[in-house]
Amino acid sequence: MAYLGTPTATKFIIDQYQFAFQKKFGQNFLIDSNILEGIVESAEITKDDFVLEIGPGIGTMTQYLCEAARQVVAVEIDKALIPILEHTLSEYDNVEVINQDVLKVDIKSLAEERNNGKPIKVVANLPYYITTPIIMGLFESGVPIESITIMVQKEVADRMQTGPGSKDYGALSLAVQYYATAEVQMIVSANCFMPRPNVDSAVIKLTRHQEPAVEVQDEKLMFQIIRASFNQRRKTLVNGLKNSAELSFSKEEILEAIQKLGKPETIRGEALTLEEFAELSNLLKK
Ligand code: SAM
């Protein structure tokens, strides 16, 4: 089986199987071999690695992953792609395709069973609508992860990397930075996909910290505070926290904590750094 990462090879498979692209699954397949090689290089995959690929499509990137890794598990939601994957991956004996919604797969058990609980590498070209739940799910559920190398919309990559003062700063930025170092590896033009999406994409690598970036007594509380702060971006921090259904602090308690943090009463949540959110949640925990 020749590599699929060209417009001609991709079109050939699509026509052969009369495959109909499904918008609801965010299906834009990569057709540029330089980008494919770049992703696998960025992920630094070796023959020791177990790789989870999310959304293999017709198997374009999966072929590269099979060459580089010890074992690959690819989770694909669209059952119309399963016979195609059987064909395009038939030469590889180190791959298993699971036909399932990745959000329903117990990835922790998968890593336990297939990789003896050792940290796994995740590689994915994700549809935008599941980017955040997938990343948060992987980090928060305690799956042993070494790195996540993913293609996302360029704007989402910006959100992951940014800090206070940017309009892109939000709960996703803080969550990603709490768990990982985020580095954009390359910007990918919309022309590298079939069909062509409306926006450019970026490959971003999230390398998990050995220890979280800040010390926090109650992680869950910190993320509730973060979510509450950004749910009402235009409100002050004190109002954002007071109005949250997830939290039950009084205005006085919140004001006292903000004062101890050394911030003015009128401060907005979007002005706080990750360290300050951690400190605020430690103060409120008391
Ligand atoms: N990896 C391929 C490539 O780079 O050419 C395909 C990428 S395409 C942007 C996204 C893929 O994810 C599609 O094959 C789509 O069917 C699959 N997908 C979408 N939602 C999914 C989900 N919840 N679970 C598993 N796969 C999903």
Side-chain angles (χ1 to χ4, degrees):
M1 177 83 228
Y3 280 137
L4 296 164
T6 64
T8 323
T10 300
K11 191 154 186 322
F12 183 80
I13 292 286
I14 299 299
D15 290 346
Q16 187 184 358
Y17 285 86
Q18 297 187 339
F19 175 74
F21 286 96
Q22 300 250 24
K23 226 182 166 145
K24 68 172 179 202
F25 293 142
Q27 290 172 341
N28 303 92
F29 299 157
L30 269 167
I31 49 168
D32 186 312
S33 58
N34 290 324
I35 302 293
L36 288 151
E37 280 162 21
I39 295 174
V40 177
E41 248 169 58
S42 300
E44 295 180 283
I45 292 162
T46 72
K47 276 288 164 195
D48 283 337
D49 287 324
F50 173 90
V51 177
L52 168 69
E53 186 190 9
I54 304 171
I58 59 170
T60 313
M61 191 149 67
T62 327
Q63 292 183 330
Y64 285 82
L65 296 172
C66 290
E67 302 272 348
R70 173 175 56 82
Q71 216 206 336
V72 180
V73 167
V75 180
E76 173 55 60
I77 195 168
D78 186 354
K79 73 172 187 307
L81 287 166
I82 304 306
I84 301 184
L85 287 163
E86 270 166 25
H87 169 188
T88 59
L89 302 175
S90 60
E91 269 176 32
Y92 300 100
D93 59 7
N94 58 343
V95 60
E96 183 188 339
V97 175
I98 299 176
N99 182 201
Q100 177 66 280
D101 176 349
V102 72
L103 295 172
K104 296 191 181 137
V105 175
D106 181 350
I107 298 170
K108 202 170 171 187
S109 303
L110 196 74
E112 281 297 331
E113 284 163 25
R114 310 295 170 81
N115 208 34
N116 290 325
K118 281 195 296 203
I120 64 170
K121 290 180 179 164
V122 178
V123 178
N125 172 6
L126 294 178
Y128 71 93
Y129 67 93
I130 47 166
T131 306
T132 303
I134 286 183
I135 292 176
M136 297 323 300
L138 285 170
F139 282 141
E140 281 174 3
S141 60
V143 177
I145 298 272
E146 187 171 331
S147 62
I148 306 177
T149 307
I150 38 166
M151 176 92 70
V152 294
Q153 282 183 303
K154 198 179 156 294
E155 177 221 316
V156 176
D158 292 340
R159 269 197 268 152
M160 290 181 190
Q161 280 197 306
T162 198
S166 154
K167 67 168 178 29
D168 293 325
Y169 186 53
L172 181 65
S173 330
L174 286 153
V176 162
Q177 292 162 30
Y178 176 69
Y179 290 109
T181 307
E183 288 167 303
V184 169
Q185 307 287 314
M186 54 188 150
I187 305 297
V188 183
S189 150
N191 294 326
C192 299
F193 299 91
M194 185 187 288
R196 189 184 184 283
N198 294 327
V199 291
D200 288 343
S201 299
V203 174
I204 191 162
K205 183 174 184 185
L206 311 177
T207 308
R208 196 181 178 128
H209 299 309
Q210 298 289 350
E211 296 294 329
V214 292
E215 257 183 57
V216 57
Q217 288 162 22
D218 185 340
E219 243 174 51
K220 195 169 153 226
L221 174 65
M222 181 178 74
F223 282 111
Q224 284 171 339
I225 291 173
I226 289 173
R227 273 196 296 274
S229 307
F230 287 95
N231 267 348
Q232 297 183 304
R233 264 188 111 94
R234 316 223 157 272
K235 294 228 161 109
T236 57
L237 178 61
V238 60
N239 281 336
L241 301 192
K242 197 166 57 68
N243 296 343
S244 161
E246 281 188 313
L247 299 168
S248 55
F249 300 112
S250 69
K251 187 170 179 182
E252 290 66 38
E253 286 170 323
I254 301 167
L255 281 173
E256 195 189 325
I258 292 176
Q259 199 187 19
K260 283 195 182 145
L261 197 64
K263 298 289 174 189
E265 278 185 17
T266 51
I267 192 153
R268 290 187 182 173
E270 64 195 9
L272 296 191
T273 62
L274 175 60
E275 289 71 20
E276 289 165 343
F277 272 114
E279 204 183 328
L280 179 67
S281 86
N282 289 345
L283 286 165
L284 283 167
K285 177 86 184 163
K286 282 182 196 151

